[in-house]
Amino acid sequence: MTSSLDDKKEGIFPVVVIDINGIRCRALTDSGAGSSYISAKLVQLIGAKPTQVQTRTVEMLLTSKAERLEIYDLEFRSVNDQFSMPVKAIINKS
């Protein structure tokens, strides 16, 4: 979800405050994104363990590269505890 400012093609990405395992953090929301990413530092703070590890090949202009992805099953909660959402969050370990 982005909002456009005038005809400048600039976007505003909404940021929301959420709770993950008792830690308040900010989440950048992008409703058109194909994946959800999380920082390695936050994963360390909440003590999460990956539920899956995948290797994907990313094709670039002149080469390709294998990337190791750790996937975490998490629950994002509103700070007023009225809403929660399961999320599969990814860390790129390449």
Side-chain angles (χ1 to χ4, degrees):
M1 171 194 320
T2 63
S3 297
S4 185
L5 299 174
D6 304 325
D7 56 352
K8 295 180 184 179
K9 305 291 187 226
E10 295 177 1
I12 299 172
F13 291 90
V15 175
V16 295
V17 178
I18 61 171
D19 180 280
I20 304 173
N21 290 13
I23 296 178
R24 275 196 186 183
C25 34
R26 291 183 177 93
L28 174 69
T29 59
D30 182 355
S31 62
S35 301
S36 297
Y37 293 90
I38 191 168
S39 73
K41 180 67 175 177
L42 181 56
V43 166
Q44 179 185 22
L45 286 172
I46 63 176
K49 302 290 183 218
T51 54
Q52 295 178 32
V53 177
Q54 297 180 355
T55 302
R56 293 186 189 163
T57 302
V58 177
E59 300 294 330
M60 295 178 268
L61 187 58
L62 299 174
T63 187
S64 62
K65 174 176 143 179
E67 293 193 344
R68 182 174 178 265
L69 306 175
E70 291 182 354
I71 302 170
Y72 297 81
D73 289 328
L74 302 171
E75 182 178 51
F76 291 5
R77 302 189 68 75
S78 62
V79 292
N80 65 3
D81 213 24
Q82 303 242 335
F83 176 79
S84 67
M85 179 174 71
V87 174
K88 288 193 177 293
I90 298 171
I91 292 180
N92 182 337
K93 298 296 269 189
S94 297

